[in-house]
Amino acid sequence: MSEMRQLVGLLKQIDDQLVACMRCGMCQAVCPIYAETGLEGHVARGKIALLECLADEVIKDPAGVKERLDACLLCGSCQANCPSGVKALDIFLKARAFLTGYYGLPPVKRAIFRGLLQNPKLFDTVLGVASKFQGLFTKPVNDMLGSSCARVFSDLIGGRHFAPLADKPLHDVATQRDTPRGHSGLKIAFFYGCVVDKMFPRIGEAVLKVCDHHGVGVFMPHAQACCGIPALSSGDRETFEKLVALNMKVFAESDFDVLVTPCATCTSTIKKIWPLMAEDLPATTRYQVKELSAKVKDISAFLIQDVGVTPADVAVSGEPVTVTYHDPCHLKKSLGVSAEPRALIGCNPRYKLQEMDGADSCCGSGGSFTLQHYDLSKRIGKRKRDNIVATGATVAATSCPACMLQIGDMLSQAGDTLAIRHPVEIYAETLAGR
Ligand code: SF4
Ligand code: SF4
């Protein structure tokens, strides 16, 4: 009964948000999915029209409703370009939660989200074991990108090239810590996120190195859990709420000034989605969520705005390395952060930034979108790859590990020899040997 009440509540919230759409079609011009398919049902305006009679449509054509709602990268381009301020992402996430609440989760997703993600220790153990045996099924394919592909049955995964699991995750490489404020007078809580922990621990190490150098205290607990967006974008609000509650236990009572993440998706989820979807949590947790979400910041924004990092005084010899920067949707469109990562890259005088066409156009990743609609995701990703390669850069930088995976796949499949780096890694290079 309480579940049904929650579903009716969700429907009401969606209804209240739909009325702002005036059908102007400005969202069409910027939707990467619409650019590929040309289908009205794939753009925000079409989805909103569908959702206006969600209850009826779900009864008439459940598969059709799901197909149109799933065909979305949740990139936020429509929302950022909407003159009426329609909160498209809020609407789509709530609509997915409604559908999943109504129909239930498919068994595989149930096992992953409720069996693994909700149990961070078990999740770490399972992926730790998988990292030891991955060499049996995968082989390295591009040294510069560090990518791998499947040894056999590559067709089963669409011929994907992917970043392997790290030999040692960040939580094994770096001990958990709680260090006091140093000469900066600042202390962060470090939310590293699942992909950095398990695939790109080098980014986490760069964050720690930079914080140590600038006298920033770090609270880095290993008990932190996933930010919850993979579950929520599949409509699994139950897992999402449990993960938020787990993170609250770890972070809410601790002493720090800023919650820092090197992952655009985690930053945007904690800042925007946690408070949005926390309505049904107990009052104390709701309050804590609000407090914590007000403190979260992308690592580049923190270093430039709060620490006041300036160009490093390091010796430069020879030609600078050309780097181009891809704006993750979750950072630029959702949070308006685009100058700071570029400024951080600019703090390393050994690099020269070369802008690409469409630096802020989506790379086609979209979390589980790339799993369900790989052909479409690849078509969008190839445009991004072409724009990157056209700059002549030897390094592609971005602030989201999910974008790194997608861009890495596209570059690797094309046989390109670029490196992919996070701005904080590029800045950390200036501190080598100090
Ligand atoms: S841009 Fe906004 S108001 Fe215009 S059709 Fe799209 S969602 Fe509706
Ligand atoms: S979130 Fe992105 S992919 Fe989804 S409808 Fe909006 S613009 Fe299109």
Side-chain angles (χ1 to χ4, degrees), residues 139-148 161 164 202 412 415-421:
K139 60 179 177 197
V141 66
N142 185 317
D143 286 348
M144 183 69 98
L145 288 160
S147 54
S148 294
H161 291 189
R202 58 173 213 247
S412 183
D416 300 315
T417 47
L418 279 82
I420 302 186
R421 315 283 278 161

Side-chain angles (χ1 to χ4, degrees), residues 104-427:
L105 266 178
V108 175
K109 286 190 174 176
R110 175 174 284 272
I112 295 173
F113 297 148
R114 303 204 174 161
L116 280 182
L117 272 194
Q118 283 191 24
N119 300 289
K121 272 198 178 146
L122 180 63
F123 184 42
D124 286 351
T125 307
V126 168
L127 289 197
V129 172
S131 78
K132 304 280 177 290
F133 294 100
Q134 61 186 333
L136 296 174
F137 309 101
T138 66
K139 60 179 177 197
V141 66
N142 185 317
D143 286 348
M144 183 69 98
L145 288 160
S147 54
S148 294
C149 65
R151 279 190 190 276
V152 282
F153 304 129
S154 174
D155 287 350
L156 283 180
I157 56 164
R160 281 180 174 83
H161 291 189
F162 43 83
L165 291 165
D167 291 344
K168 281 191 174 186
L170 182 67
H171 68 263
D172 273 356
V173 180
T175 51
Q176 53 181 354
R177 62 191 68 192
D178 191 0
T179 56
R181 291 168 177 82
H183 58 83
S184 72
L186 292 164
K187 180 168 178 177
I188 64 161
F190 183 19
F191 188 91
Y192 38 75
C194 306
V195 186
V196 164
D197 184 37
K198 282 140 184 87
M199 289 171 149
F200 301 113
R202 58 173 213 247
I203 297 174
E205 290 180 275
V207 172
L208 294 172
K209 181 178 179 181
V210 171
C211 287
D212 286 349
H213 175 79
H214 288 287
V216 175
V218 177
F219 171 55
M220 185 181 83
H222 284 171
Q224 56 188 276
C226 168
C227 72
I229 196 64
L232 190 64
S233 51
S234 290
D236 184 2
R237 197 169 173 177
E238 178 190 311
T239 297
F240 174 79
E241 287 179 354
K242 288 208 168 133
L243 293 171
V244 172
L246 279 177
N247 281 312
M248 283 310 130
K249 261 194 210 152
V250 175
F251 289 106
E253 303 289 331
S254 306
D255 165 46
F256 58 87
D257 306 301
V258 185
L259 181 75
V260 164
T261 92
C263 170
T265 302
C266 294
T267 316
S268 143
T269 301
I270 297 170
K271 181 82 141 181
K272 296 272 184 84
I273 311 293
W274 279 14
L276 173 78
M277 301 301 285
E279 296 106 344
D280 295 330
L281 297 176
T284 323
T285 319
R286 266 201 326 266
Y287 176 76
Q288 291 173 332
V289 165
K290 225 171 131 197
E291 295 262 295
L292 202 60
S293 71
K295 282 186 174 181
V296 70
K297 236 177 195 183
D298 161 70
I299 179 70
S300 298
F302 169 70
L303 290 172
I304 296 293
Q305 294 170 2
D306 300 341
V307 179
V309 166
T310 51
D313 181 16
V314 290
V316 183
S317 61
E319 282 295 300
V321 177
T322 304
V323 54
T324 191
Y325 179 76
H326 160 70
D327 287 289
C329 298
H330 285 135
L331 208 52
K332 183 169 180 192
K333 287 165 193 139
S334 175
L335 302 174
V337 176
S338 62
E340 292 85 350
R342 289 173 169 82
L344 194 60
I345 292 169
C347 286
N348 187 336
R350 297 188 188 115
Y351 284 76
K352 184 183 83 177
L353 184 67
Q354 179 68 49
E355 290 291 344
M356 69 177 95
D357 281 347
D360 64 353
S361 65
C362 181
C363 66
S365 168
S368 60
F369 176 87
T370 189
L371 301 177
Q372 285 173 292
H373 301 275
Y374 189 50
D375 282 344
L376 210 44
S377 164
K378 224 165 39 172
R379 271 154 58 191
I380 299 166
K382 274 185 177 159
R383 282 178 212 262
K384 178 59 66 178
R385 175 261 162 199
D386 292 346
N387 288 340
I388 289 172
V389 170
T391 63
T394 51
V395 175
T398 189
S399 302
C400 182
C403 300
M404 291 170 97
L405 292 174
Q406 169 79 349
I407 291 171
D409 182 12
M410 298 302 112
L411 291 169
S412 183
Q413 287 196 48
D416 300 315
T417 47
L418 279 82
I420 302 186
R421 315 283 278 161
H422 190 290
V424 74
E425 290 183 277
I426 292 176
Y427 174 65

